[in-house]
Amino acid sequence: MSAELVTINTEWLSDCSGCHIAIVDLHEKILSVLESVKIQRCPVLTDVKDYPPAKIGLVSGAIRNEHDRHAAIEMRKSCDLIIAWGSCAVFGGPAGAGNVHTREEIADAVYLQNKTTSTSSLPSREISPLEVSVTPIDKVIEVDLYLAGCPPHPTYIFDALVSLLEGRQPKATKESVCAKCKRQMKKSDLDTIKQHTDGIPDPELCFLSQGYICMGSATIDRCLSPCPTNGIPCTGCAGATMQILSEPNRDIRTEIAERMARLTKIPREDIIKEIEKSSKSHYSYTMASSMISEKPTFLINKWIHEANEDYEAAHG
Amino acid sequence: MSAQTETPNSRTIRIDPVTRIEGHAKVFVNLAEDGSLDNAGLVVNELRGFEKILVGMEANRMPHITARICGVCPTAHHIAASNALDHACGVVAPPAAMLLRELMYMGHIIHSHALSLFVLQGPDLVLGLDADPAIRNVVGIVQANPEVAKKALRIRTVGQRLNEIVGGRGTHPVTSVAGGITFVLDSEKRAMLQSLVDEGKQLARELAPVVKQLVVSMLEKHPAMLTDWVAPSWSVGTVLDNRVSLIQGNLRAVDENGSTQVEFPVQDYDKYMVESVVDFSYMKRVSFKKDGLLHDYRVGPLARINAMQQFNTEWANREMEEMLSLGGYPCHITLFQAYAKLVEMIWAIERADDILRDPAVNGETRVPVKFKGGRGVGHSEAPRGTLIHDYEIDEDGIVRAANLIVATQQNYAIINRSIEHAATSHVIGKPDDQALLNAVEFSIRCYDPCLSCATHAVGAMPMEISINRGGRTVKTIRR
């Protein structure tokens, strides 16, 4: 390790600050990181308010408004290497789920048609206007490395930082969440899908074998699989696996359906239909990414529209 | 403070962005021609629109997706959402589940208050408002006092680890669901948790005098903080069995004199809490409505103590008595937010210890649920104050409408008032000095605003202060 400290800038755009907290969650390791790096701009930790030149730039969050766009560009200009940090920066994240609505619909829900809001006006000055849609940061600036995860587990952040400091490529594995899940896959004779609230799942068996939709097989491991380990089906927060991202005709829903149909007697089509029916839940972290939204079979607006029509038909 | 248009011939001082808080924010201070304060306000510059984003999602995901509203207080959303789902299904989670939720929550409180005290506000308290911005950060604290810094970071770790072991993850926990908790506590986990709690107790004993000393020296250095940085207002907190409570109980509103005005179940929140749009910010403010009148109010550590001066543990009660003997009751001194966080951090450690020793924590943790169609309202006392989730859920378990009221929104009026106090005592008529401007930021940091929550969004920007006269910018200060 050279005595020369490696300079780091971080920036958050439209996100929850969880990725920044994940750095603090390095716990004791943070002190060893601090021995070799100099954190300059880091909104949650320091008072540096401009963009000093830096070796590494960590950008979390999606581009939601003009300020985000501007900040991303400033980070690119000031940093030699940019890491898209966390699912919002890489895929758009939950903010990206706003893309199935117009800006007007969002403002309407928050400010005009909101049950506890007494005023009937919109914020109009000082604020940075929303852009037409939410985008991952690589739509606006060039990205050198992608570190998905919501937030990425501190282990992955630590590995990325240490590798960069030592001049190595980070060990970003291509495994899915299933890789570290200890549940047993067993074939079963189930022929219908269970909702997550149906009964109480067996703690040892693969959720798919039990008829519960779990997104583990379609989701990249940037978390060490805590959800299935602790009794919760994966909700896909780290985004899609490399297989899905790199092949146009593979998709989150088809991937899950294939695996689940092999483990159970539930027809593949039923599973696909089910995931489409609540597509907003299953694509909540990734729908703003062109790698998902430009797939030939991805029709989220149609699915949401159809689900709403079914609801309307049933409720008059 | 109400939104006001700038009058001609005034000057405006801006701080952009406010750092070491969670969120995208800038501040303006409008001065009249004679140099006196006209008004001041915090601008929150992000909007994600979760109230719309959640519509059409499966309700069972609410504890997981709403955690993503805020990475600093995800557990507050996780539990508020779980409570709302229990209410929607008409179930009460089993006693062991409620205890585990509370245990997870106590870990969360330790993490969040330690982060706030030592990482976000700490640099101001330890290094002073006028320290060089380049070193005024957690690294500066580590260099100034490595022993204390290590303990401070370690106590946050203890909290976050408790949260993680019970919640499955620290940031964005996952184990609380409609009907309870997804695992049953085993002896191995319980032993791990107990050793963390024991360590936390020891750390708190060592850190408590340090924090108190920092608060006292801050007051000695800046007497205005004791005399002028005082914002009398109503306070709202959660009460259960006449004790301060965090994830169960009724909401209690007390007036500026500490008299209880109303106590109500959270399902009635919309009878009392009125949001309004501020034209210069994505964040809405909230007022408390009673008998047709609107009142500014605060939520959070200080408000919880104002609403109910009794914890269910001894040490926390002793610390609280000491705090009130110094700050008076009800306490409206902005800086005492920090003191109140210390009291709650101690309480969280004691309470976690009590929960682990309660045999009931080992019981069954989950009951099956069914969405019947209808409303689900739940809440938690987030580290920064009352957080409310209100959903309409159809019989297929799909969210049809969502309304969220978060802590920082409810503190908005008081935060803006505190900015005015800081501007008056430290900025106006003083040379345009960086340290003085940091005083304004410090007043905001006392409330630890969680702007990611507040607009259900987050971020931060470079600080810029522009001074306007007659609508023209005559001077800009950047840092």
Side-chain angles (χ1 to χ4, degrees):
Chain A
M1 201 74 68
S2 68
E4 184 78 18
L5 293 179
V6 175
T7 47
I8 294 188
N9 287 353
T10 79
E11 176 63 297
W12 58 24
L13 310 174
S14 193
D15 73 4
C16 76
S17 70
C19 292
H20 277 77
I21 296 299
I23 283 199
V24 189
D25 281 349
L26 289 169
H27 302 310
E28 285 71 35
K29 284 182 180 170
I30 196 170
L31 297 171
S32 64
V33 170
L34 288 174
E35 284 169 11
S36 7
V37 305
K38 179 169 181 234
I39 296 181
Q40 300 175 146
R41 179 194 176 86
C42 177
V44 75
L45 292 179
T46 71
D47 278 354
V48 176
K49 294 179 196 265
D50 55 356
Y51 296 89
K55 199 99 189 122
I56 300 174
L58 289 158
V59 181
S60 70
I63 311 280
R64 170 77 269 190
N65 66 17
E66 288 174 13
H67 152 70
D68 300 329
R69 176 178 294 269
H70 164 81
I73 291 167
E74 289 295 325
M75 282 292 283
R76 181 70 268 185
K77 281 197 279 193
S78 65
C79 304
D80 296 346
L81 181 130
I82 289 283
I83 302 176
W85 177 31
S87 296
C88 291
V90 176
F91 298 106
N99 276 355
V100 295
H101 310 288
T102 62
R103 290 172 292 179
E104 291 72 22
E105 284 168 344
I106 289 175
D108 199 64
V110 175
Y111 301 112
L112 301 177
Q113 305 297 326
N114 173 280
K115 68 191 284 188
T116 44
T117 301
S118 59
T119 45
S120 49
S121 61
L122 297 171
S124 54
R125 60 190 182 95
E126 300 279 354
I127 50 168
S128 176
L130 300 186
E131 298 213 324
V132 174
S133 59
V134 179
T135 55
I137 66 170
D138 65 4
K139 280 281 187 219
V140 173
I141 57 171
E142 201 155 317
V143 167
D144 301 296
L145 289 169
Y146 293 86
L147 181 57
C150 185
H153 192 282
T155 300
Y156 285 104
I157 298 176
F158 187 72
D159 172 68
L161 288 177
V162 171
S163 310
L164 291 169
L165 295 176
E166 295 175 355
R168 288 186 290 112
Q169 275 287 42
K171 288 198 300 279
T173 61
K174 293 182 180 176
E175 290 175 335
S176 74
V177 169
C178 296
K180 292 193 176 63
C181 175
K182 294 184 182 64
R183 290 172 173 263
Q184 288 180 338
M185 285 185 160
K186 274 199 182 144
K187 286 205 179 250
S188 78
D189 292 338
L190 271 174
D191 58 2
T192 49
I193 295 171
K194 284 195 195 126
Q195 296 304 313
H196 286 193
T197 45
D198 290 345
I200 292 174
D202 180 297
E204 310 292 332
L205 268 187
C206 169
F207 284 113
L208 297 180
S209 307
Q210 301 183 62
Y212 296 102
I213 291 179
C214 169
M215 295 179 67
S217 56
T219 303
I220 193 162
D221 166 32
R222 291 292 178 265
C223 55
L224 314 181
S225 315
C227 297
T229 304
N230 286 287
I232 294 279
C234 168
T235 57
C237 72
T241 52
M242 298 308 288
Q243 295 89 320
I244 291 172
L245 293 176
S246 55
E247 292 186 35
N249 288 320
R250 288 178 97 146
D251 181 45
I252 289 173
R253 69 201 200 293
T254 52
E255 196 79 7
I256 296 169
E258 255 159 56
R259 190 167 297 233
M260 195 168 180
R262 276 201 302 269
L263 283 167
T264 63
K265 296 223 163 31
I266 305 168
R268 184 174 171 273
E269 284 312 307
D270 287 9
I271 303 162
I272 289 179
K273 209 83 225 106
E274 179 71 25
I275 296 176
E276 286 176 4
K277 198 177 82 186
S278 70
S279 53
K280 209 178 179 187
S281 296
H282 293 98
Y283 290 89
S284 51
Y285 294 91
T286 52
M287 69 173 78
S289 164
S290 58
M291 298 178 91
I292 297 291
S293 65
E294 288 172 14
K295 285 183 181 286
T297 56
F298 182 82
L299 302 162
I300 195 162
N301 285 325
K302 173 175 170 276
W303 302 333
I304 287 176
H305 182 73
E306 283 171 356
N308 281 338
E309 278 192 334
D310 292 350
Y311 176 76
E312 299 297 333
H315 293 78
Chain B
M1 189 201 83
S2 61
Q4 292 175 39
T5 50
E6 289 184 31
T7 50
N9 300 326
S10 63
R11 61 177 206 143
T12 302
I13 297 175
R14 289 179 199 285
I15 300 180
D16 181 5
V18 179
T19 43
R20 285 189 285 122
I21 57 172
E22 301 88 34
H24 290 243
K26 48 185 179 175
V27 170
F28 63 82
V29 179
N30 286 332
L31 305 182
E33 188 56 39
D34 64 359
S36 64
L37 178 77
D38 188 2
N39 60 38
L42 174 71
V43 179
V44 178
N45 203 7
E46 272 288 348
L47 172 71
R48 285 176 299 172
F50 266 88
E51 282 148 323
K52 190 70 184 175
I53 288 171
L54 300 177
V55 173
M57 286 190 182
E58 293 170 21
N60 64 58
R61 282 178 180 245
M62 291 303 107
H64 310 111
I65 194 87
T66 63
R68 271 74 184 185
I69 290 172
C70 179
V72 176
C73 60
T75 313
H77 289 279
H78 187 60
I79 300 293
S82 306
N83 282 336
L85 296 187
D86 288 354
H87 177 237
C89 299
V91 300
V92 176
M98 284 318 281
L99 285 171
L100 284 173
R101 282 179 185 175
E102 195 183 351
L103 180 60
M104 186 196 316
Y105 210 80
M106 290 305 174
H108 175 58
I109 287 280
I110 298 164
H111 137 79
S112 181
H113 283 352
L115 184 79
S116 174
L117 282 172
F118 301 116
V119 179
L120 305 175
Q121 267 192 297
D124 300 313
L125 293 166
V126 174
L127 305 165
L129 294 180
D130 51 358
D132 174 0
I135 64 147
R136 198 174 55 216
N137 55 49
V138 70
V139 182
I141 298 184
V142 172
Q143 285 160 349
N145 195 332
E147 278 318 296
V148 168
K150 276 189 185 149
K151 285 175 188 160
L153 289 171
R154 183 60 200 168
I155 203 168
R156 192 205 71 90
T157 292
V158 164
Q160 190 74 327
R161 288 281 298 138
L162 289 172
N163 187 353
E164 190 183 347
I165 293 167
V166 185
R169 305 176 54 164
T171 301
H172 305 325
V174 294
T175 58
S176 182
V177 293
I181 289 275
T182 55
F183 71 94
V184 176
L185 191 64
D186 58 33
S187 55
E188 191 189 346
K189 265 189 182 167
R190 200 174 48 247
M192 267 197 304
L193 291 162
Q194 188 64 56
S195 87
L196 282 165
V197 168
D198 294 344
E199 187 189 356
K201 252 190 183 162
Q202 185 52 39
L203 287 164
R205 274 190 210 106
E206 293 164 21
L207 287 166
V210 178
V211 174
K212 286 190 273 192
Q213 184 51 47
L214 287 170
V215 169
V216 169
S217 8
M218 199 72 165
L219 291 172
E220 285 169 354
K221 254 187 277 180
H222 302 274
M225 288 189 186
L226 189 59
T227 52
D228 303 348
W229 290 30
V230 183
S233 70
W234 284 35
S235 295
V236 170
T238 298
V239 177
L240 182 70
D241 301 332
N242 273 321
R243 298 283 187 280
V244 177
S245 179
L246 294 177
I247 62 168
Q248 291 183 80
N250 284 338
L251 297 181
R252 177 185 289 180
V254 302
D255 63 20
E256 51 274 272
N257 303 314
S259 310
T260 299
Q261 289 289 333
V262 59
E263 192 172 310
F264 56 95
V266 66
Q267 285 73 25
D268 290 344
Y269 82 98
D270 50 357
K271 294 195 179 99
Y272 300 101
M273 293 173 179
V274 181
E275 294 183 279
S276 54
V277 172
V278 178
D279 73 345
F280 56 77
S281 178
Y282 279 121
M283 177 161 79
K284 291 181 286 186
R285 55 170 288 181
V286 189
S287 309
F288 197 92
K289 189 169 83 177
K290 175 148 189 296
D291 304 332
L293 292 175
L294 293 178
H295 304 270
D296 287 350
Y297 70 108
R298 65 168 81 238
V299 292
L302 197 54
R304 288 191 279 262
I305 289 175
N306 283 343
M308 184 70 249
Q309 308 81 65
Q310 190 72 42
F311 291 93
N312 55 6
T313 63
E314 283 174 27
W315 183 16
N317 278 332
R318 282 202 308 276
E319 294 290 346
M320 183 195 66
E321 294 298 337
E322 197 179 320
M323 176 190 124
L324 294 176
S325 69
L326 197 62
Y329 174 80
C331 184
H332 301 297
I333 302 164
T334 304
L335 185 62
F336 273 63
Q337 291 274 23
Y339 206 137
K341 279 177 209 154
L342 172 71
V343 174
E344 285 193 337
M345 193 166 75
I346 287 165
W347 171 48
I349 293 167
E350 286 182 286
R351 178 62 192 148
D353 196 21
D354 288 350
I355 292 170
L356 282 168
R357 292 169 200 280
D358 185 340
V361 79
N362 306 314
E364 282 302 317
T365 54
R366 196 169 174 183
V367 291
V369 296
K370 183 145 186 50
F371 291 106
K372 309 185 301 277
R375 192 165 170 233
V377 185
H379 88 300
S380 67
E381 282 288 335
R384 292 148 194 81
T386 316
L387 165 68
I388 297 162
H389 284 209
D390 177 358
Y391 309 118
E392 290 289 339
I393 300 169
D394 69 18
E395 59 276 19
D396 296 327
I398 301 294
V399 173
R400 292 289 158 193
N403 191 35
L404 310 166
I405 292 187
V406 304
T408 300
Q409 283 181 275
Q410 298 165 82
N411 283 324
Y412 202 4
I414 310 300
I415 290 174
N416 287 338
R417 223 191 288 168
S418 297
I419 294 170
E420 293 179 0
H421 295 155
T424 305
S425 68
H426 280 71
V427 179
I428 297 166
K430 304 274 190 339
D432 292 324
D433 176 73
Q434 302 290 346
L436 304 179
L437 294 166
N438 189 46
V440 171
E441 283 194 73
F442 178 72
S443 74
I444 299 168
R445 285 185 204 119
C446 287
Y447 295 91
D448 202 10
C450 190
L451 305 176
S452 29
C453 276
T455 55
H456 320 312
V458 88
M461 295 165 282
M463 173 148 140
E464 180 180 293
I465 295 149
S466 65
I467 298 172
N468 301 334
R469 220 179 260 287
R472 278 184 317 111
T473 304
V474 290
K475 187 172 183 187
T476 304
I477 308 163
R478 278 174 178 275
R479 64 172 171 95

